[in-house]
Amino acid sequence: KGLARSLAAAFSVKMVSDFVKSSQEAFTIQEQQEVKLTTIMRQRMGATDDVIDSVKQLASEQQALGVIGDEVQLAGAQQVATFLNESDSIKTLLPAMNDLLAQQRGLEASTGDAVNIANLMGKVLQGQTSALKRVGISFSDAEEQVLKYGTESQRAAMLAQVITNNVGHMNSALAQTDAGKQKQLANTMGDIKEQFGQAAMQIQAVFLPVLSHLVNGFSK
């Protein structure tokens, strides 16, 4: 019985340790994507904190109605921002980006996939409309003219509309399936882990000087 209790305690400690570690990793990924987005939007668009927060909020709202996690969305948002000069264009494109990402990669869409989709959309915004055709997106000659020669806001709006015309609201549609509902739950749990990971890292930061002092004392 004593051995069983010891094993149970050790197993519990390992479970907690693994959860803390995975939570810290989740927060680190989220933090990195937010920092990238913030840096690029400030550099290219002179965006204020309120404007940047509005993009993050949109990503959270999109996660709630679909299957694409907000950290994945932010990876795409910061990448497509490198092709843009107006913050509103990001918000115009983000829902369509999620739909195309869901159509191309389904429930397994990663931050790397989001970056690839963002690069594809960026090429289109620069006039390389053939990039869309390579992933099965069709459009009229009139739509192509806007994509090539319109203002940034016009090109962003047209690109979003063309994607929607081809793949519909795939992000929210997948969320209605059983697997999609499980993915939504996983995304919600991911948010909880991110918050827990942030708290754990803040606690570590507070106690790190104390621990360093103790280690130095023990070593002597």
Side-chain angles (χ1 to χ4, degrees), residues 1-19:
K1 290 181 180 180
L3 177 59
R5 284 195 296 268
S6 297
L7 288 173
F11 184 66
S12 298
V13 170
K14 184 179 186 306
M15 287 182 64
V16 172
S17 177
D18 289 347
F19 181 76

Side-chain angles (χ1 to χ4, degrees), residues 151-194:
T151 64
E152 178 176 298
S153 60
Q154 290 172 337
R155 284 180 281 126
M158 180 56 69
L159 178 55
Q161 187 60 55
V162 165
I163 291 173
T164 301
N165 290 345
N166 280 264
V167 304
H169 298 296
M170 187 65 71
N171 186 33
S172 59
L174 288 180
Q176 304 308 310
T177 66
D178 289 341
K181 292 174 183 177
Q182 292 180 16
K183 181 62 175 179
Q184 285 191 306
L185 178 60
N187 286 337
T188 301
M189 290 299 297
D191 286 345
I192 294 173
K193 290 181 71 174
E194 289 164 10

Side-chain angles (χ1 to χ4, degrees), residues 89 91-97 99-100 121 124-125 132 137-140 143-144 146-147 153-169:
S89 298
K91 291 189 280 189
T92 298
L93 290 168
L94 189 59
M97 182 188 301
D99 288 328
L100 184 56
M121 294 174 71
V124 176
L125 292 168
L132 277 177
I137 303 297
S138 60
F139 44 88
S140 68
E143 290 169 336
E144 184 174 16
V146 176
L147 289 172
S153 60
Q154 290 172 337
R155 284 180 281 126
M158 180 56 69
L159 178 55
Q161 187 60 55
V162 165
I163 291 173
T164 301
N165 290 345
N166 280 264
V167 304
H169 298 296

Side-chain angles (χ1 to χ4, degrees), residues 121-130 144 147-149 155:
M121 294 174 71
K123 290 178 181 179
V124 176
L125 292 168
Q126 292 181 330
Q128 301 178 45
T129 54
S130 60
E144 184 174 16
L147 289 172
K148 284 186 174 182
Y149 305 113
R155 284 180 281 126

